[in-house]
């Protein structure tokens, strides 16, 4: 890594917003945007009890590609993204991304693109377990 990309990881373990924010701290940044995706207790009006994430072995390589493209296409000073795998409970952080830029507009736009492209392109799959005993896989590209 290096340049604007400061932290990228796909890991089985608790995620830290402090770690992600520290990774993008930069004296040239006038704006920093942090997004934390958490496990919610419902999906499409069905109660969710828990979920788990599984990642393809190349998920980190895909995340690197997404991050590089965001950095190339936007005025990013620093970028970080971590996604969790394994079993998660309601309220747990599943993904944390942050972007720092000289100006807030660029930081907001780049952060939005980072999380949207990560969700669309990085092969990480969510297995939701509903209160009624049913389950479903989400995001299986």
């Amino acid at each position: 890594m290096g340049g604007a990309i400061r932290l990228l990881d796909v890991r089985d373990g608790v995620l830290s917003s402090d770690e992600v924010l520290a990774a993008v701290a930069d004296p040239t940044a006038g704006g920093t945007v942090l997004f934390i995706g958490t496990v919610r207790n419902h999906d499409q009006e069905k109660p969710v009890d828990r979920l788990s994430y599984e990642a393809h072995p190349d998920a980190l390589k895909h995340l690197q590609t997404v991050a590089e493209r965001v950095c190339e296409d936007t005025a990013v000073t620093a970028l970080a993204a971590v996604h969790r795998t394994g079993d998660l409970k309601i309220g747990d952080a599943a993904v944390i991304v942050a972007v720092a830029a000289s100006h807030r507009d660029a930081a907001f736009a780049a952060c939005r693109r980072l999380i949207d492209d990560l969700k669309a392109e990085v092969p990480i799959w969510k297995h939701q377990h509903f209160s009624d005993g049913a389950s479903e896989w989400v995001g299986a590209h």
Side-chain angles (χ1 to χ4, degrees), residues 97-120:
V97 300
V99 173
S102 291
H103 302 284
R104 70 177 175 271
D105 287 344
F108 274 111
C111 192
R112 176 64 182 248
R113 179 159 178 212
L114 177 59
I115 189 60
D116 287 350
D117 288 0
L118 183 160
K119 297 295 284 180

Side-chain angles (χ1 to χ4, degrees), residues 15-84:
L15 304 181
S16 166
S17 58
D18 290 339
E19 176 192 23
V20 174
L21 277 174
V24 298
D26 194 287
T28 66
T32 301
V33 176
L34 175 76
F35 172 80
I36 303 171
T38 56
V39 178
R40 65 181 177 262
N41 68 357
H42 69 282
D43 188 28
Q44 300 178 28
E45 299 183 25
K46 290 178 69 175
V48 172
D49 284 342
R50 61 185 173 82
L51 57 80
S52 59
Y53 282 96
E54 290 187 23
H56 187 277
D58 290 336
L60 188 56
K61 186 184 329 178
H62 289 273
L63 181 55
Q64 177 80 31
T65 299
V66 166
E68 288 172 354
R69 190 173 59 239
V70 170
C71 289
E72 288 169 6
D73 295 348
T74 60
V76 168
T77 301
L79 176 150
V82 292
H83 201 297
R84 188 163 170 196

Side-chain angles (χ1 to χ4, degrees), residues 82-139:
V82 292
H83 201 297
R84 188 163 170 196
T85 59
D87 296 326
L88 287 81
K89 300 180 307 259
I90 304 304
D92 285 347
V95 61
I96 303 175
V97 300
V99 173
S102 291
H103 302 284
R104 70 177 175 271
D105 287 344
F108 274 111
C111 192
R112 176 64 182 248
R113 179 159 178 212
L114 177 59
I115 189 60
D116 287 350
D117 288 0
L118 183 160
K119 297 295 284 180
E121 298 177 32
V122 179
I124 298 173
W125 307 288
K126 176 171 59 173
H127 191 194
Q128 297 189 114
H129 300 271
F130 297 101
S131 296
D132 65 4
S135 69
E136 73 178 356
W137 286 94
V138 180

